[in-house]
Amino acid sequence: MELLKERIRKDGVVKEGNVLKVDSFLNHQMDITLFNEIGKEFKRRFADERIDKILTIEASGIGIAAITAQYFGVPVVFAKKAQSINLDGTILSAPVESFTHKRRYEVIVASRFLQPEEHVLIVDDFLANGCAALGLCQIVEAAHAQVAGIGVVIEKGFQQGGRVLREQGLRVESLAIVDGMDAATQTVQFRD
Amino acid sequence: MELLKERIRKDGVVKEGNVLKVDSFLNHQMDITLFNEIGKEFKRRFADERIDKILTIEASGIGIAAITAQYFGVPVVFAKKAQSINLDGTILSAPVESFTHKRRYEVIVASRFLQPEEHVLIVDDFLANGCAALGLCQIVEAAHAQVAGIGVVIEKGFQQGGRVLREQGLRVESLAIVDGMDAATQTVQFRD
């Protein structure tokens, strides 16, 4: 998605340790006009799939999923990262290891929000080691629902997540795949 | 907002301890069609205010803020609840006590996303004790920006938050104000 790559080139900041900061438009400040273009592009790529629901994970995925859902006409469920006194009933959970925060946590979804046979599109801002996406897939499977696909805004192509998910036969659509970046020159190499 | 009150009556669940669960449409599963009506209503109520940016807090506020931002044509910034290795530069922070989670945490915003003189609309799903909203107001003031108003989906009118904020001269628009609820009868009393 050329518009997105241009925006990453213009406003993304490369930090040591393969960190790509896009917090000025994607995951702290959110450019809702860009999000609408992202939503349209996910709809274009998954136009041939039946999608009943979008599943994402708090916090950065929520804005993208909400805007994207408008193009699919479906509700969004976001997985939570910590037990809340407000969550009860049957809980589906999976362990996730965060690349950004260097810690492990449980992600949880109330099982009544994922019905058997539903076709679920998983949406997130980043795909790196794939742990978050794999956790969400586990939750969808535990609900006896089906992963219709995984829509990612930025994939770090030099980490294993995309490969692992695709090897499992999952359809992963990443709007920008970063194959390398250099903090010294502030350059980002995209996959064609 | 009648549509919202009807939805709360229909799908809200009252639990002991003044807990109103609206996770089937507001803060776990998100009904994006309803969110669009909420966004339109916030725009109608704040039509006479200059709004340059919407500020919310992760996680439940993000979806509402993103959809609402479309009606104002402005970006969203969401305050984060924990220090991240991805956040650097100058940080604005405020302490918040959560009613739901019974704990204290810091909310933080990178200061470069709130410019002096900007008029900021604060949006959140719930207003109860007002701590989250007060924390966000503190952050806006620390940035030398201005709180244009506070848009809340559900206000718990029997808790102090709304009163405290209004006494400070802040404009609070709550789309549904709950004055009481009863877990035994599953009834919710709304303010007229």
Side-chain angles (χ1 to χ4, degrees):
Chain A
M1 185 182 169
E2 206 45 49
L3 181 75
L4 175 66
K5 292 180 191 170
E6 277 168 28
R7 188 62 176 273
I8 295 167
R9 279 192 201 100
K10 180 171 157 277
D11 292 330
V13 177
V14 181
K15 315 282 280 188
E16 293 299 339
N18 279 332
V19 172
L20 176 61
K21 287 187 54 159
V22 287
D23 58 353
S24 66
F25 59 95
L26 193 69
N27 51 20
H28 187 14
Q29 183 164 246
M30 308 191 292
D31 178 340
I32 303 299
T33 306
L34 176 68
F35 279 28
N36 269 286
E37 295 306 316
I38 286 170
K40 277 180 215 168
E41 180 66 15
F42 280 139
K43 175 63 188 176
R44 195 182 68 76
R45 297 199 186 194
F46 289 105
D48 57 334
E49 296 282 352
R50 169 183 147 196
I51 308 288
D52 301 311
K53 196 162 277 182
I54 291 178
L55 177 65
T56 187
I57 185 168
E58 66 177 22
S60 317
I62 298 175
I64 299 155
I67 298 294
T68 297
Q70 299 176 128
Y71 296 94
F72 288 89
V74 300
V76 174
V77 173
F78 64 88
K80 303 193 176 204
K81 284 181 181 166
Q83 190 74 35
S84 155
I85 62 158
N86 254 355
L87 258 181
D88 56 17
T90 315
I91 298 296
L92 304 167
S93 75
V96 166
E97 193 152 350
S98 164
F99 173 79
T100 314
H101 297 87
K102 314 267 186 240
R103 62 182 181 86
R104 286 175 66 87
Y105 53 87
E106 286 288 303
V107 290
I108 51 179
V109 173
S111 62
R112 67 191 182 285
F113 300 137
L114 287 176
Q115 294 299 312
E117 315 305 332
E118 276 185 330
H119 289 225
V120 178
L121 176 63
I122 293 171
V123 165
D124 209 357
D125 57 339
F126 269 96
L127 172 61
N129 64 24
C131 269
L134 283 165
L136 294 179
C137 287
Q138 245 181 275
I139 283 175
V140 171
E141 280 153 31
H144 305 290
Q146 198 175 310
V147 177
I150 300 169
V152 168
V153 180
I154 302 174
E155 177 179 342
K156 288 179 167 173
F158 52 87
Q159 285 188 253
Q160 63 178 4
R163 186 174 51 73
V164 168
L165 293 166
R166 290 181 183 101
E167 279 176 5
Q168 293 191 11
L170 292 161
R171 179 171 174 189
V172 181
E173 294 283 352
S174 301
L175 306 190
I177 302 180
V178 174
D179 273 337
M181 48 186 163
D182 187 334
T185 57
Q186 285 299 309
T187 48
V188 176
Q189 285 83 46
F190 292 104
R191 192 173 301 175
D192 282 331
Chain B
M1 188 182 168
E2 206 45 49
L3 180 75
L4 175 66
K5 293 179 190 169
E6 279 167 28
R7 188 62 175 273
I8 295 168
R9 279 193 202 99
K10 180 171 158 276
D11 292 331
V13 177
V14 181
K15 313 285 278 188
E16 293 297 340
N18 279 330
V19 172
L20 176 60
K21 288 188 51 162
V22 287
D23 58 353
S24 66
F25 59 94
L26 194 68
N27 50 21
H28 186 13
Q29 182 164 247
M30 307 190 294
D31 178 340
I32 303 299
T33 306
L34 176 68
F35 279 27
N36 269 286
E37 295 306 316
I38 287 170
K40 278 180 215 168
E41 180 64 15
F42 281 139
K43 175 61 188 178
R44 195 183 67 77
R45 297 198 186 195
F46 289 106
D48 56 335
E49 296 282 351
R50 169 183 148 195
I51 308 288
D52 301 311
K53 194 162 280 181
I54 291 177
L55 176 65
T56 188
I57 185 167
E58 67 176 20
S60 316
I62 297 175
I64 299 155
I67 298 294
T68 296
Q70 298 177 128
Y71 296 94
F72 289 89
V74 299
V76 174
V77 173
F78 65 89
K80 305 194 174 201
K81 284 180 181 166
Q83 191 73 37
S84 155
I85 62 159
N86 253 355
L87 259 179
D88 55 17
T90 314
I91 298 295
L92 304 168
S93 75
V96 166
E97 192 151 349
S98 165
F99 173 78
T100 315
H101 297 86
K102 313 269 186 240
R103 61 182 183 86
R104 287 174 64 89
Y105 52 88
E106 287 288 305
V107 290
I108 51 179
V109 173
S111 63
R112 67 191 182 283
F113 299 137
L114 287 176
Q115 293 300 312
E117 315 306 332
E118 275 185 330
H119 289 225
V120 178
L121 176 63
I122 293 171
V123 165
D124 208 357
D125 58 338
F126 269 96
L127 171 61
N129 64 24
C131 269
L134 283 166
L136 294 179
C137 287
Q138 245 181 277
I139 283 173
V140 171
E141 280 153 31
H144 306 291
Q146 197 173 313
V147 178
I150 301 170
V152 169
V153 181
I154 302 175
E155 177 179 340
K156 288 180 167 171
F158 52 88
Q159 285 189 251
Q160 63 178 3
R163 185 174 52 75
V164 169
L165 293 166
R166 289 180 183 102
E167 279 176 6
Q168 293 191 10
L170 292 162
R171 180 172 174 187
V172 181
E173 293 283 351
S174 300
L175 305 190
I177 302 180
V178 174
D179 272 338
M181 49 186 161
D182 186 336
T185 58
Q186 286 298 310
T187 48
V188 177
Q189 287 83 44
F190 293 105
R191 191 173 302 176
D192 281 331

